[in-house]
Amino acid sequence: MAIKIQIILGSTRPNRRGESVTQWVYELAKTRDDIEAELVDIKDYNLPLLDEPEPAGSKNYVHEHTKHWSAKINEADGYVFVTPEYNHSVPSAMKNAVDFLYSEWNNKAVGFVSYGGVGGVRSVEHWRSIAGQLQMADVRGQVTLMNRDDFDELQVQPKDHHERAAHAMLDQLSSWASALKPLRNK
């Protein structure tokens, strides 16, 4: 049985490079028998700055936008975060979207595809720390795309080594998401 993986586009900027990156990862994931891939764009959820009166761990959501976001994220066994690097860290819109929830992320696996001036690696290092706090298993494999080398304007131009890295990350993600499933089904 295939593992459900959501590929989350983490930028909401106009003219964002992440759209082509996310589509590329999605197309790769769709070629695999072990993964049921879904594209999730946080921009579609129009989340305001965190506005829930209680901490996410309580799951006492009062706003419909949070309930809708919670239901979507709860559907997946694991995630690929497609993340830019902003100011040596994570994009604020994506961090805000992640912070709306807590238990929906628990005991799930996450992999990273990053892009930026140095491939977005500093963003991923921050995401790894955040993932640990959310009780997520972050896989080692990741894809890093350099703004100056791996894009033609807004379109990603992945090379063979990027595709190999993406499949290695997806292999790990599928394995970890499968291994963690019994913890979520208690």
Side-chain angles (χ1 to χ4, degrees):
M1 183 170 169
I3 294 297
K4 182 156 188 176
I5 301 296
Q6 291 175 342
I7 302 163
I8 300 178
L9 172 50
S11 172
T12 59
R13 267 189 176 161
N15 299 321
R16 54 195 174 158
R17 290 182 167 162
E19 287 185 56
S20 71
V21 176
T22 305
Q23 189 63 44
W24 169 69
V25 175
Y26 175 67
E27 294 300 327
L28 285 177
K30 283 190 341 184
T31 67
R32 300 172 59 104
D33 295 333
D34 59 336
I35 291 174
E36 177 189 335
E38 179 184 16
L39 234 161
V40 176
D41 186 344
I42 63 170
K43 190 174 185 176
D44 294 340
Y45 292 83
N46 202 26
L47 296 167
L49 285 176
L50 186 57
D51 64 348
E52 287 292 336
E54 293 190 40
S58 73
K59 284 192 87 169
N60 290 326
Y61 305 135
V62 297
H63 298 294
E64 287 304 313
H65 55 259
T66 310
K67 293 173 185 176
H68 183 59
W69 179 237
S70 170
K72 176 50 63 186
I73 294 306
N74 209 43
E75 293 173 0
D77 297 306
Y79 312 93
V80 174
F81 283 6
V82 177
T83 181
E85 179 180 310
Y86 295 161
N87 299 316
H88 290 211
S89 192
V90 301
S92 58
M94 188 175 187
K95 178 67 165 72
N96 183 60
V98 168
D99 285 346
F100 261 92
L101 310 175
Y102 179 72
S103 62
E104 294 86 346
W105 304 112
N106 295 172
N107 297 315
K108 295 181 180 179
V110 61
F112 303 97
V113 176
S114 60
Y115 57 97
V118 292
V121 296
R122 294 171 292 214
S123 178
V124 171
E125 288 309 308
H126 289 214
W127 278 123
R128 290 184 190 285
S129 177
I130 294 162
Q133 180 60 27
L134 295 171
Q135 300 181 52
M136 298 175 84
D138 60 303
V139 301
R140 184 177 182 275
Q142 77 183 66
V143 179
T144 58
L145 299 158
M146 303 285 284
N147 281 348
R148 72 178 178 277
D149 297 332
D150 300 321
F151 290 87
D152 179 12
E153 296 296 321
L154 300 177
Q155 293 300 310
V156 68
Q157 302 295 317
K159 297 170 182 61
D160 289 344
H161 71 276
H162 294 122
E163 188 167 332
R164 287 190 301 275
H167 279 296
M169 180 267 298
L170 292 169
D171 287 344
Q172 293 171 11
L173 188 60
S174 178
S175 294
W176 276 96
S178 296
L180 291 168
K181 201 165 192 162
L183 295 175
R184 295 188 308 278
N185 294 332
K186 285 186 173 182

